[in-house]
Amino acid sequence: RNRKDFRDKLIITIDGDDAKDFDDAISLTKNGENYDLGVYIADVSHYVRPGSKIDEEAFKRGTSVYFPDHVLPMLPTSLSNGMCSLNPNEDRFVLAVEMLISPAGKILDYKINKGIIRSSYRMTYKKVTKILQGDKELTNEYKDLAPMLFLMAELAKILIGRRNNAGQLDFDIPEPEIILNDDGTVADIHRKPRELSDRIIEQYMVLTNEVVARHYDKLKI
């Protein structure tokens, strides 16, 4: 009750190959010449109450710490990888930010609601990149999803152009990818590629943060 039902929408997650917890999902459709973008953030607050023992421990840890071969999570894995993770084909509680965006990348309207989703696909950056680059086999495998991925790339390019014109800072800092041997020693380190699929998620998350900040300002918080 009191949650907007998004389970009939085509919603996906896009993360790295080795990701275990999926905390954001996206959907995108065309609304005339405008774009209807949905960003769905795992509603951890439904499970972790302020002042609870889990909340206190999470506050002490501050963040999850990611090592090349394991993670020290901020929250118990039964939450971070389980009930709160937006796993495909499972009902999950979210905070939904719905945005109407113009062809110039301007936010025309937005809504923020508690919601429930059922993610349709767990996609990876590599798969999305290959589809956007014209991989026929993958495009055929995800033929019902491919049109939305190309639309996502289209909108991301618009947002990147708008921010470049506004003089944004682009922190394009090389991210190392560490390859380990079976005994845990370092086998290789190379630069992790930053593809358009990465930038799609970056742009959408920045846009969501803008909307939330605007909403906070409106509420004088």
Side-chain angles (χ1 to χ4, degrees):
R1 289 178 299 177
N2 304 321
R3 282 185 181 270
K4 191 169 178 180
D5 195 338
F6 297 97
R7 286 175 291 184
D8 62 339
K9 293 182 76 72
L10 177 58
I11 295 174
I12 65 169
T13 60
I14 305 177
D15 291 274
D17 286 356
D18 53 356
K20 301 285 191 300
D21 56 322
F22 314 119
D23 54 13
D24 53 74
I26 48 178
S27 68
L28 183 65
T29 55
K30 225 32 197 314
N31 184 348
E33 65 173 4
N34 300 318
Y35 300 85
D36 272 326
L37 173 64
V39 175
Y40 312 91
I41 309 297
D43 188 3
V44 179
S45 64
H46 179 81
Y47 300 97
V48 181
R49 301 301 184 184
S52 64
K53 290 296 182 184
I54 293 177
D55 183 45
E56 289 176 3
E57 180 62 25
F59 188 83
K60 285 180 192 173
R61 296 187 180 205
T63 184
S64 296
V65 182
Y66 293 86
F67 294 96
D69 58 345
H70 69 285
V71 178
L72 294 180
M74 184 175 72
L75 296 169
T77 52
S78 58
L79 287 178
S80 58
N81 293 9
M83 284 185 286
C84 295
S85 184
L86 307 181
N87 301 325
N89 303 312
E90 293 182 14
D91 292 348
R92 288 291 184 263
F93 291 152
V94 295
L95 285 175
V97 181
E98 300 171 86
M99 295 161 271
L100 182 66
I101 304 165
S102 76
K106 184 180 178 184
I107 301 166
L108 302 175
D109 194 13
Y110 70 87
K111 288 181 254 181
I112 302 174
N113 288 294
K114 286 190 172 185
I116 182 169
I117 69 166
R118 178 176 277 256
S119 171
S120 301
Y121 293 97
R122 177 269 199 265
M123 297 298 288
T124 66
Y125 292 120
K126 286 180 182 175
K127 282 185 178 179
V128 173
T129 295
K130 285 181 178 178
I131 290 171
L132 295 178
Q133 290 175 344
D135 186 298
K136 290 181 180 177
E137 188 177 334
L138 272 177
T139 302
N140 187 56
E141 183 181 346
Y142 296 100
K143 56 179 179 290
D144 57 336
L145 177 59
M148 187 172 80
L149 294 178
F150 282 102
L151 195 62
M152 285 178 174
E154 180 183 301
L155 178 58
K157 288 173 182 175
I158 290 170
L159 296 174
I160 291 167
R162 179 176 74 86
R163 293 209 170 90
N164 286 340
N165 291 336
Q168 74 157 357
L169 293 175
D170 185 6
F171 295 101
D172 189 10
I173 300 168
E175 185 180 345
E177 191 165 16
I178 302 171
I179 312 301
L180 300 181
N181 294 311
D182 291 339
D183 61 359
T185 57
V186 176
D188 194 13
I189 303 175
H190 55 80
R191 178 174 177 157
K192 192 174 179 181
R194 186 172 177 234
E195 306 285 0
L196 180 57
S197 56
D198 297 81
R199 303 204 70 181
I200 288 172
I201 299 302
E202 287 172 13
Q203 293 300 319
Y204 292 178
M205 295 307 130
V206 169
L207 198 68
T208 305
N209 284 336
E210 284 181 18
V211 166
V212 172
R214 182 183 295 186
H215 192 66
Y216 269 49
D217 184 58
K218 187 177 168 184
L219 297 176
K220 307 298 181 190
I221 294 176

